[in-house]
Amino acid sequence: MSNVATILRLASAEGDSGFHAPSIVDFFPAPIFFEGTIFEFNRLQLVRVVAALALIIIFVVAARRAKVVPGRFQNAIEFILNFVKVNVAEDILGKEKAPKYTALLTTIFCAILAFNLTGVIPGLNIAGTSLIGLPIVLALWVYVMYLGAGVKAHGVGGFLKNSLFPPGVPPFLYVLLTPVEFLTVFVLRPATLAIRLMANMVAGHLMLVLCFSATQYFLFEAAPGMKAFGALTLVGGFAITLFELFVAALQAYIFVILAAVYISLSIEDEH
């Protein structure tokens, strides 16, 4: 990975003048510590650490300052917790089964939201989920949870039967249907969770960098007759920033909704 990052940085460094479009080199920053080792630490990992620490501090402060009559800060935290509990866990899993998975779903939602929002925070400027490693970890976490929930509810044989041999289907169709169900349950679900999250964050980062890089170019380097275009790209940059705030929350919501759906499918008797 460090060799790939080095090649990309060298390629992007060719030519120091003119407009520089965003590229994937943004997602492979130079190492800060331990270059060339398995403990290599770069700016993207630093962003993730900052987001994780900020999330922990927010909830610790909220817990310690909790009051019977909540203020605005406590109301905001309680809104997030109740949103995941009611609108995700209880709506999908039911009130009886929801309590067992509410903490998991809340943690996933808040973590993804925090990592996504770093993409629009000045000084950080890149989403912690914009490189595939973290989305894979989150997707594998969900993968292990829904497989474990299904096996615990039905046993290994019962889980495989419910997942790979849907009831009400003529037996001869299982030849075609079972391989598809196998790919869906064991490959496509975790893969699409990770890829969807990363792809949206990558696209958002590239659009933001494109707008603000173009703004810098038009205002400071372009010919006088083209400087007016800088105002357009600047407005576009702020518009995309607002859109990215929406996308950050939306992707966290989609991820946690699908996690709840997969768990629900695993523990149901028939689906």
Side-chain angles (χ1 to χ4, degrees), residues 143 146-167 174 177-187 189 265-271:
Y143 179 74
Y146 77 71
L147 290 183
V151 170
K152 186 174 181 180
H154 307 295
V156 175
F159 172 69
L160 292 176
K161 179 182 177 182
N162 288 342
S163 299
L164 304 182
F165 301 92
Y174 285 137
L177 187 58
T178 297
V180 174
E181 290 294 321
F182 179 87
L183 286 175
T184 299
V185 174
F186 295 102
V187 179
R189 286 180 183 175
L265 291 173
S266 293
I267 62 180
E268 284 181 354
D269 291 331
E270 293 183 357
H271 54 82

Side-chain angles (χ1 to χ4, degrees), residues 4-260:
V4 173
T6 301
I7 293 171
L8 291 171
R9 286 195 297 274
L10 290 174
S12 66
E14 294 181 359
D16 295 327
S17 61
F19 171 68
H20 296 283
S23 70
I24 59 171
V25 71
D26 295 346
F27 307 102
F28 299 92
I32 300 174
F33 306 114
F34 312 120
E35 182 175 3
T37 72
I38 60 173
F39 303 105
E40 186 172 291
F41 189 85
N42 58 37
R43 192 177 75 83
L44 182 57
Q45 292 166 324
L46 177 62
V47 167
R48 292 170 175 172
V49 171
V50 170
L53 290 176
L55 186 62
I56 292 170
I57 291 171
I58 287 171
F59 277 93
V60 168
V61 171
R64 290 184 176 180
R65 295 184 178 180
K67 299 178 181 178
V68 177
V69 181
R72 292 181 180 178
F73 176 67
Q74 185 176 335
N75 272 328
I77 298 300
E78 289 181 356
F79 171 79
I80 294 174
L81 298 178
N82 287 330
F83 173 77
V84 178
K85 176 184 176 183
V86 176
N87 296 90
V88 178
E90 292 183 357
D91 280 359
I92 295 175
L93 295 166
K95 292 187 176 181
E96 181 179 347
K97 298 176 181 177
K100 185 175 181 180
Y101 301 100
T102 298
L104 166 71
L105 297 173
T106 302
T107 302
I108 290 174
F109 176 80
C110 293
I112 294 176
L113 180 60
F115 290 126
N116 287 354
L117 288 175
T118 59
V120 294
I121 295 177
L124 301 180
N125 303 115
I126 190 167
T129 49
S130 59
L131 199 59
I132 194 62
L134 182 57
I136 285 177
V137 170
L138 293 168
L140 287 177
W141 186 11
V142 173
Y143 179 74
V144 170
M145 289 303 299
Y146 77 71
L147 290 183
V151 170
K152 186 174 181 180
H154 307 295
V156 175
F159 172 69
L160 292 176
K161 179 182 177 182
N162 288 342
S163 299
L164 304 182
F165 301 92
V169 177
F172 68 90
L173 287 180
Y174 285 137
V175 176
L176 298 175
L177 187 58
T178 297
V180 174
E181 290 294 321
F182 179 87
L183 286 175
T184 299
V185 174
F186 295 102
V187 179
L188 295 181
R189 286 180 183 175
T192 53
L193 276 178
I195 294 171
R196 181 188 298 107
L197 177 58
M198 183 205 69
N200 278 277
M201 293 302 103
V202 167
H205 175 81
L206 293 177
M207 288 191 298
L208 283 173
V209 173
L210 177 62
C211 285
F212 289 117
S213 295
T215 299
Q216 181 179 359
Y217 171 73
F218 284 128
L219 292 180
F220 300 107
E221 298 182 39
M226 299 182 65
K227 291 188 182 297
F229 289 106
L232 295 177
T233 56
L234 181 61
V235 171
F238 282 114
I240 292 176
T241 298
L242 295 177
F243 181 68
E244 276 303 291
L245 289 172
F246 169 73
V247 171
L250 179 63
Q251 289 305 312
Y253 175 69
I254 291 174
F255 196 103
V256 77
I257 279 285
L258 290 176

